[in-house]
Amino acid sequence: MKYNDLAAAIKTPVFSRQDLLIQGLKVYDYQFNLWTKKGYLLKIKKGLYVFARDTDKIPPQEIALLLYEPSYLSMETALAWYGFIPEMVYAHTSVTAIDSPGAKNDNSPAAKTGKRPGPFRCFFSAWPGTAGL
């Protein structure tokens, strides 16, 4: 499969390998690696990609929720979204009560993650070039 065929077949900016399987598209690992190196795709996490041309169309809140499921955005992010606090929130925090030591995303250019110990696990998301991370 060529990159133009993939771009024509996938209508959303974020897609997973499962989306490709559901549509009956066959894309090999080396193709994902090549397109990532060329800058056509950004790898958010294993099996989840975003078209590099569409990064401005995806809100950081959506990326934060996609990094780890099930999760929800922190209260600080929600309060800033609805205008209850005057501060600008640069890092969107997804919080979950599920303990998963394997959930990490250290090498992604699309989002930075951090893990905070405690009863709730937190994952941070920010696009490259934004302040805060």
Side-chain angles (χ1 to χ4, degrees):
M1 171 176 274
K2 295 184 179 181
Y3 173 76
N4 292 336
D5 298 335
L6 176 72
I10 303 295
K11 304 298 181 200
T12 59
V14 178
F15 64 94
S16 68
R17 288 181 166 233
Q18 290 179 344
D19 296 337
L20 300 176
L21 290 174
I22 290 170
Q23 292 186 8
L25 302 174
K26 191 166 189 169
V27 182
Y28 297 103
D29 290 338
Y30 78 90
Q31 291 174 309
F32 281 111
N33 292 334
L34 177 68
W35 295 333
T36 303
K37 286 180 184 176
K38 286 187 175 184
Y40 299 153
L41 297 176
L42 296 175
K43 184 176 181 179
I44 297 176
K45 68 177 188 178
K46 184 177 180 181
L48 190 64
Y49 296 90
V50 62
F51 289 109
R53 65 171 192 260
D54 294 334
T55 55
D56 57 339
K57 297 178 183 176
I58 306 168
Q61 296 91 342
E62 185 176 338
I63 296 297
L65 293 173
L66 289 172
L67 281 175
Y68 190 74
E69 295 176 345
S71 64
Y72 61 91
L73 289 171
S74 69
M75 184 164 50
E76 177 187 62
T77 303
L79 290 173
W81 176 263
Y82 289 106
F84 289 120
I85 58 174
E87 294 87 15
M88 181 113 176
V89 177
Y90 293 103
H92 303 282
T93 306
S94 291
V95 181
T96 185
I98 296 174
D99 184 21
S100 177
K104 61 182 178 178
N105 188 18
D106 298 331
N107 299 323
S108 174
K112 291 188 178 183
T113 62
K115 195 169 178 182
R116 202 183 285 173
F120 292 97
R121 304 289 183 224
C122 302
F123 299 88
F124 310 99
S125 171
W127 284 110
T130 60
L133 288 179

